[in-house]
């Protein structure tokens, strides 16, 4: 039962808005009235060679969107919807899609390939459509070129969609065989070869077994390397993309091929077109990533047993690799510093050089110094810029001891270049390099800082002067100041910045008011530098920071009052409001933490709160988030006095908790509830009904981003701790939620690190909730109300302990909960705890743990339990 | 120009924005504060802090060792935890700290089972203080709450160094004696460690903890830039013959001022406690007999007592013990007011025990005490000082007690253990 949809699909692309809207409305109606018929019609439309390509493409697109979505919950809904369609409909749709492969129209084939991959992504994990791969490959050698190309493209998409585990090795072998044959130089059609090369990129994740087989691996590598020499630039690029993917997926298998790969990449970097050269550089960046990770693992004392050994490829390639990268630095483009999204050979080369420095450390320095010395004073700006860029790039990695003598010599030169070099690129890179010097060779963590009381003043003078330069240079000067200040964050009252606070603030405020402050991210950088200088203020400079408050408030006031803005102005206004709220947040935190300034600061609290409440009128997510963070800081500083703001603030708090779409705001707001609990303690009680209702709603919604759920559980703990036994009325709602979440998370099987991390966050949140509730009820006559839940809490910990996937934070929280159970419920749970399989083993195990905090938690839990058991 | 690949950050672009940093800082602060709040709750439950310590007094050995500042009212209950106490200002904070130290009674007779239930160690001479490390600084406070030193140290969170193993705000509290000749804090007890309270732990556990934890931190290292003063642990002995002998006559790196005895099973209890005792004689202390306000040993025993509104003179015990009285006329004549501390001399022949209670009989007013004086004497001190002048408790008596204990070991073994 196919409907006639061609005209509607064409109308939906009409330039006439009315026609378009009408058509979209019709499509929606058909879909709602009869989904199977709608999907059938779309697939038939896509397969029909007599239909116009425009309607076929849109049919495919709508079909694809009916199968998949970005948001996880919607994605799951759509998958369920597809699975529940009747078999005949699904079979017919799939048949139409496969038929489309023979279409002479390449767009139609390509669209069908994507839709098939979506269907496969849903069905293969459910063991449905097992014949897909077979039918795709059955006659791959006989079909026409364009069908072959579509087939390979589809295989690539399928590999991208589905998890390697759902395809058995035999099918993997067949896919790889077809793909690698398609890539082979003997393949005459470059369309087929390109489709095969791109398919291999996606199929690499399936090739674990094949890469452990020497012969198969040699073959795949040979074909990939040959493809890098194709006459078709697209094939070369795709082949290098494969090499990059191989470098991270199969690092440990690369040793036999490295010499060849070096030759290939080195030639491409020097001679090939930019997209290819960029991938060739990316290969080496990717190898650096791997080796940095492995060497980090070697260094960390907890996981000395890295599964992958370091082959020191970078170290071995160093004498040839570094000169190759240095050459790229001279290939700058004229406008690269003005374009924020710019990416070219010089930028990729410098980025790679920086990674190489982090990989090998000191060894890179003698290889780069001659290049710097040769070019730093060249008449051509390219030489000077490249030399400076090289220097800046290698500052992270080598030891401060190795770099400090060079920096000490270079510093004056750099300052002079920043003031006087005629070229903006050179000044831009010089200011950036200064920032890197301050970031890595200055501050409490560095034994002997290259910055002294004496040169600090000179540096400041030059930096402040450069803030009047063109926007991109001024922006880098602000960034350099940021890192200079950061080095003094822990300095206390002897900071050399102290005498310059006033000048610095004046200049930064001047920068934020520059006409061109929205270019090159300048205004943002100026506020960020301002924040950092505020962070390193102390008793002595606090009064100067205090003078900043009315200035920032006035600016914020002006943005709040501004009206009738164009949408472009509105955007800029939002950016500015966000920055100002961020600045207030930093000031509040800092002034609140300096005892001498806290009380003087609090006189501004009413006005600040008033302004922040007005800021909520803005509809911008970033602004809300920043305002919410500032309010959290204010609540902590104000303590119980914050209660007076609650009546007006509460509505915005509730709004924030209800903001599912911009889940970051929701998450921040949940955190602020925690701040409020600690500030107000039992004065938060009148608002708890509303807050708890909303939090419980959030937890039961499948639309809220999952990352917000762990903090919500922790927040239960915060509330319970603040209101004590008054939490009793929420137990009947909160406890079942905690129990079911606990059950899920205790048994969760984590397939990947990300999932494991989330599961542990969830567990930690649940445990923090239990801790807060137990502690909140302590010494209350209502303690009895918790006794029935004790068994479940213990079981939760037992199950997690059995599963062996707890991270340190969870372990510590679990120990805390064991202690809290014993402490609050005492003899009521003594026998239960004695029976718990984990409590004893977990505690004993943690007593000898490396982390002292865990060890102590364990020793304490043991103490509390002993008391409970004996008392 | 094409943008860089998703995962590849151009080296000239900042790795994280300040906004991201603000977000992370806020989250970290929230997590730290939550953990603080939890630890606070964990301590308050069983903390002796909340049980209301008695008005306290310290055994004073010489005027120059007394506190330079008097703290006012000592009555009232303390239910603050150290975190909140740290937020108190001025006189409040002094008042709070003044009530937190555990104060040993003077040993007027030998407790039973000395060798089984007690520890002994030579007490360093110096200023008794509470040392609190948190948030990157270390502060020592004298018994009256006034600050002795503010300095960086290797104690947990005791200096602003990059090494943080836990929330910077978690605090540690040590009970110390600051020994001036070698500028060293001798740690005689551990009250809190990395945010965990040890108030409700036995002395046995506290000393074990003290010995194992302090060495981990490098607090006993020689002074350096981020570690202004050295913290040393005092050698603590089982109170058997050998331990007593070692404490009494052994060499120690500090000036000795008597011996301290701690009951192994006693919790850390703020205020006076009979579960910690001090004893001294001329061999192990330079200051056995009390001096007067001029630093001389008076011919007659003098005691410092507090004037009550009924004219009675009382000790600083809780409840206060009345040892005598002043006539209304005398009070009026000398301009004394209720609450004043007065120094009185005892006429020996008038002193006697009535129904097990000390009666000093007629008291002779010597004068008001100087400002530095904060507390009246305790009952046990008056007794000890009196005994020291007439029939002192000698080291031989202690030895004899231990020997007799060990000879009748079995009969004593059934004694109920003390619960502190």
């Amino acid at each position: 039962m196919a409907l006639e949809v061609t005209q509607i699909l064409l109308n939906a692309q009409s330039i006439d808005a009315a026609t378009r809207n009408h058509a979209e409305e019709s499509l929606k109606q058909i879909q709602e009235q009869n989904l199977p018929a709608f999907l059938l019609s779309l697939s038939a439309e896509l397969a029909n060679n007599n239909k116009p390509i425009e309607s076929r493409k849109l049919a495919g697109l709508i079909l694809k969107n009916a199968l998949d979505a970005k948001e996880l919950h919607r994605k799951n809904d759509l998958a369920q919807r597809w699975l529940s369609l009747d078999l005949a409909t699904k079979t017919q749709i799939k048949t139409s899609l496969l038929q489309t492969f023979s279409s002479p129209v390449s767009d139609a084939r390509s669209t069908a390939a994507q839709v098939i991959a979506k269907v496969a992504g849903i069905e293969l994990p459910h063991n449905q459509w097992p014949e897909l791969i077979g039918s795709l490959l059955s006659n791959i050698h006989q079909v026409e070129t364009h069908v072959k190309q579509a087939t390979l493209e589809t295989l690539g998409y399928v590999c991208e969609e589905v998890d390697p585990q759902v395809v058995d090795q035999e099918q993997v072998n067949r896919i790889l065989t077809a793909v690698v044959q398609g890539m082979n130089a003997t393949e005459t059609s470059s369309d087929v070869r390109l489709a095969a090369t791109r398919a291999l990129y996606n199929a690499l994740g399936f090739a674990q077994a094949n890469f452990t087989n020497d012969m198969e691996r040699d073959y795949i590598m040979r074909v990939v390397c040959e493809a890098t020499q194709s006459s078709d630039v697209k094939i070369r690029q795709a082949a290098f993309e494969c090499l990059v993917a191989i470098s991270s997926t199969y690092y440990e298998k690369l040793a036999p091929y490295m010499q060849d790969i070096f030759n290939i990449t080195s030639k491409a970097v020097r001679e090939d077109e930019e997209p290819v050269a960029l991938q060739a550089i990316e290969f080496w960046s990717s190898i650096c990533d791997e080796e940095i990770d492995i060497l980090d693992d070697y260094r960390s004392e907890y996981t000395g047993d890295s599964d992958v050994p370091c082959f020191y490829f970078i170290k071995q390639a160093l004498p040839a690799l570094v000169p190759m990268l240095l050459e790229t630095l001279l290939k700058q483009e004229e406008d690269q510093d003005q374009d924020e999204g710019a990416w070219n050979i010089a930028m990729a080369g410098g980025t790679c050089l920086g990674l190489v420095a982090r990989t090998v450390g000191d060894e890179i320095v003698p290889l780069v110094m001659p290049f710097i010395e040769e070019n730093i004073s060249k008449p051509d700006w390219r030489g000077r810029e490249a030399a400076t860029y090289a220097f800046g790039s290698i500052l992270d990695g080598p030891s401060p001891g190795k770099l400090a003598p060079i920096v000490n010599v270079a510093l004056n030169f750099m300052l002079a270049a920043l003031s006087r070099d005629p070229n903006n690129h050179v000044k831009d890179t010089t200011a950036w390099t200064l920032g890197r010097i301050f970031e890595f060779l200055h501050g409490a963590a560095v034994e002997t800082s290259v910055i002294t009381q004496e040169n600090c003043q000179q540096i400041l003078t030059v930096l402040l002067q450069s803030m009047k330069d063109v926007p991109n240079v001024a922006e880098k000067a602000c960034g350099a100041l940021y890192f200079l200040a950061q080095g003094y964050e822990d300095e206390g009252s002897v900071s050399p910045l102290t005498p310059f606070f006033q000048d610095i603030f004046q200049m930064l405020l001047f920068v934020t008011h520059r006409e061109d402050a929205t270019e090159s991210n300048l205004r943002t950088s100026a506020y960020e530098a301002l924040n950092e200088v505020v962070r390193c203020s102390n008793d002595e400079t606090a009064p100067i920071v205090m003078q900043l408050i009315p200035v920032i408030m006035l600016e914020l006031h002006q943005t709040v009052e501004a009206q009738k803005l164009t949408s472009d102005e509105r955007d800029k206004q939002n950016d500015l409001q966000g920055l100002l709220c961020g600045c207030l947040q930093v000031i509040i935190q800092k002034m609140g933490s300096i005892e001498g300034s806290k009380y003087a600061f609090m006189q501004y609290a009413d006005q600040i709160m008033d302004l922040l409440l007005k800021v909520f009128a803005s509809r911008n997510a970033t602004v809300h988030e920043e305002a919410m963070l500032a309010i959290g800081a204010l609540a902590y500083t104000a303590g119980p006095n914050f209660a007076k703001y609650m009546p007006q603030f509460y509505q915005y708090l509730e709004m924030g908790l209800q903001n599912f779409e911009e889940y970051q705001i929701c998450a921040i707001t949940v955190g602020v509830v925690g701040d409020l609990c600690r500030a107000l303690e039992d004065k938060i009680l009148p608002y708890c009904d509303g807050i708890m209702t909303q939090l419980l709603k959030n937890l039961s919604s499948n639309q809220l981003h999952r990352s917000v759920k762990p903090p919500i559980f922790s927040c239960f703990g915060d509330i319970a701790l603040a209101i004590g036994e008054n939490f009793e009325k929420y137990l009947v709602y909160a406890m079942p939620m905690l129990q079911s979440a606990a059950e899920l998370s205790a048994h969760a099987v984590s397939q990947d690190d990300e999932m494991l991390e989330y599961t542990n966050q969830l567990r930690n949140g649940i445990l923090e909730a239990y801790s807060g509730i137990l502690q909140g009820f302590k010494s209350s006559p209502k303690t009895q109300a918790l006794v029935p839940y004790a068994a479940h809490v213990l079981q939760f910990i037992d199950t997690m302990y059995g599963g062996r996937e707890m991270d340190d934070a969870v372990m510590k929280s679990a120990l805390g909960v064991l202690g809290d159970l014993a402490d609050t419920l005492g003899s009521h749970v003594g026998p239960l705890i004695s029976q718990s399989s984990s409590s004893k083993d977990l505690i004993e195990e943690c007593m000898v743990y490396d982390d002292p905090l865990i060890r102590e938690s364990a020793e304490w839990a043991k103490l509390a339990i002993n008391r409970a058991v004996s008392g | 120009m094409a943008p860089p690949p998703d995962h590849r950050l151009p080296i000239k672009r900042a790795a994280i924005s300040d906004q991201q940093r603000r977000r992370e800082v806020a989250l970290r602060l929230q997590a730290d504060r939550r953990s603080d709040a939890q630890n606070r709750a964990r301590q308050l439950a069983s903390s002796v802090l909340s049980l209301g310590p008695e008005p306290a007094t310290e055994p004073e050995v010489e005027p120059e060792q007394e506190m330079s500042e008097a703290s006012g009212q000592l009555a009232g209950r303390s239910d603050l935890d150290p975190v909140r106490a740290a937020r108190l200002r001025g006189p409040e904070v002094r008042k709070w700290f003044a009530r937190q130290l555990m104060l040993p009674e003077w040993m007027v007779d030998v407790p039973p089972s000395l060798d089984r239930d007690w520890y002994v160690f030579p007490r360093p001479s110096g200023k008794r203080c509470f040392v609190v490390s948190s948030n990157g600084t270390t502060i020592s406070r004298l018994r009256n709450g006034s600050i002795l030193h503010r300095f960086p140290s290797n104690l947990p969170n005791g200096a602003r160094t990059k090494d943080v193993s836990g929330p910077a705000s978690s605090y540690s509290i040590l009970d110390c004696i600051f020994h001036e000749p070698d500028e060293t804090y001798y740690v005689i007890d551990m009250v809190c460690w990395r945010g965990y309270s040890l108030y409700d732990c036995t002395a046995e556990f506290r000393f074990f903890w003290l010995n194992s934890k302090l060495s981990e931190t490098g607090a006993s290292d020689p002074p350096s830039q981020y570690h202004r003063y050295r913290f040393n642990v005092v050698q603590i002995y089982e109170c058997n013959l050998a331990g007593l002998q070692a404490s009494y006559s052994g060499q120690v790196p500090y000036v000795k001022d008597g011996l301290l005895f701690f009951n192994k099973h006693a919790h850390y209890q703020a205020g006076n406690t009979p579960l910690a005792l001090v004893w001294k004689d001329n061999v192990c202390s330079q200051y056995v007999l009390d001096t007067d306000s001029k630093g001389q040993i008076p011919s007659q025993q003098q005691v410092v007592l507090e004037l009550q509104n009924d004219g009675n003179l009382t000790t600083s015990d809780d409840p206060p013990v009345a040892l005598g009285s002043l006539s209304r006329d005398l009070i009026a004549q000398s301009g004394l007011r209720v609450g004043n501390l007065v120094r009185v001399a005892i006429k020996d022949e008038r002193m006697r025990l009535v129904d097990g209670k000390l009666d000093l009989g007629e008291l002779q007013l010597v004068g008001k005490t100087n400002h530095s004086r904060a507390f009246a004497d305790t009952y046990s001190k008056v007794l000890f000082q009196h005994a020291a002048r007439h029939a002192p408790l000698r080291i031989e008596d202690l030895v004899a007690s231990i020997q007799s204990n060990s000879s009748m070991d079995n009969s004593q073994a059934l004694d109920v253990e003390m619960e502190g």
Side-chain angles (χ1 to χ4, degrees), chain B residues 213-377:
Chain B
K213 295 297 157 191
L214 197 71
S215 58
E216 283 175 12
T217 59
S220 305
D221 293 348
S224 59
Q225 188 185 358
Y226 293 109
H227 182 57
R228 175 68 188 82
Y229 296 103
R230 180 203 288 261
F231 286 81
N232 276 350
V233 178
V234 174
Q235 173 78 48
I236 291 162
Y237 301 94
E238 295 277 337
C239 195
N240 50 29
L241 277 182
L244 184 65
Q245 203 56 47
S247 306
Y248 184 67
S249 46
Q251 285 292 315
V252 284
Y254 49 83
V255 180
K256 261 190 231 180
D257 182 25
L259 303 182
L260 274 174
F261 297 80
F262 276 68
N263 185 290
K264 290 179 187 175
H265 313 292
H267 291 182
Y268 194 96
Q269 177 178 343
N272 290 325
T273 171
L275 297 177
L277 296 168
V278 59
W279 173 89
K280 54 175 73 168
D281 69 6
N282 281 318
V283 175
C284 65
S285 173
Q286 302 169 21
Y287 323 102
V288 178
L289 291 183
D290 257 7
T291 51
D292 64 14
S293 49
K294 298 181 197 73
Q296 306 293 317
I297 296 176
S299 56
Q300 286 179 322
Q301 183 184 354
Q302 296 187 356
V303 298
V304 173
L305 297 170
E306 185 176 341
L307 180 63
Q308 304 294 332
N309 56 12
D310 55 6
N312 276 343
L313 292 173
T314 60
T315 65
S316 61
D317 299 274
D318 181 28
V321 180
L323 293 182
S325 60
L326 291 178
S327 70
R328 299 218 171 264
D329 292 347
L330 184 57
I331 295 170
Q333 266 173 35
S334 32
L336 292 171
R337 273 176 308 190
V338 173
N340 279 161
L341 297 180
V342 296
R343 187 176 284 276
V344 291
I346 301 172
K347 292 179 178 155
D348 288 337
E349 62 281 10
R350 303 277 179 126
M351 183 165 177
R352 59 205 161 109
L353 285 165
V354 181
D355 299 336
K357 209 181 141 238
L358 191 65
D359 186 346
L360 299 184
E362 191 182 321
L363 295 169
Q364 186 186 335
L365 183 64
V366 178
K368 280 211 286 185
T369 57
N370 62 27
H371 287 308
S372 63
R373 189 60 190 243
F375 312 98
D377 288 339

